[in-house]
Amino acid sequence: MSRVCELTGKGPMTGNNVSHANNKSRRRFLPNLNHVTLMSETTGLSYSLRISVAALRSVDHRGGLDAFLAKAKDDELSARALKIKRDIAKHGAAA
């Protein structure tokens, strides 16, 4: 399982640990990923995703999973998130 957010594409970054003596060693900054279940108002289904806390705040700010995926770029989304986006668009067009 990769350490990449399924909604924003945020992944690990690299940098330096810098000691008091200014010694530098490489380190990784990992995203804060959580398993969450988000509900879609359009389809009425719940989806389990592994997303960063920043992405969860963005989903809440935009007004839910449907609104977030409608504005999200396809190249940032995972394959599962793209499938959810297509399902939501298909149900939205039918309604």
Side-chain angles (χ1 to χ4, degrees):
M1 185 178 299
S2 64
R3 292 185 174 103
V4 176
C5 175
E6 293 189 80
L7 294 182
T8 60
K10 183 183 287 193
M13 297 189 311
T14 59
N16 288 318
N17 274 331
V18 181
S19 69
H20 184 68
N22 208 26
N23 298 328
K24 295 170 184 70
S25 59
R26 297 304 282 178
R27 63 160 290 181
R28 294 179 79 195
F29 295 95
L30 299 177
N32 186 10
L33 296 179
N34 288 330
H35 292 279
V36 296
T37 302
L38 298 173
M39 188 80 174
S40 169
E41 293 108 20
T42 307
T43 62
L45 299 174
S46 60
Y47 299 98
S48 178
L49 297 168
R50 190 168 188 226
I51 65 173
S52 65
V53 174
L56 184 59
R57 292 181 68 220
S58 297
V59 168
D60 288 340
H61 179 73
R62 287 193 185 165
L65 181 64
D66 299 349
F68 180 88
L69 289 175
K71 287 184 126 181
K73 297 177 183 172
D74 289 349
D75 58 332
E76 291 178 350
L77 299 174
S78 67
R80 287 180 58 214
L82 275 173
K83 183 180 181 311
I84 295 168
K85 184 176 180 177
R86 284 193 300 270
D87 288 346
I88 290 170
K90 183 170 40 172
H91 278 81

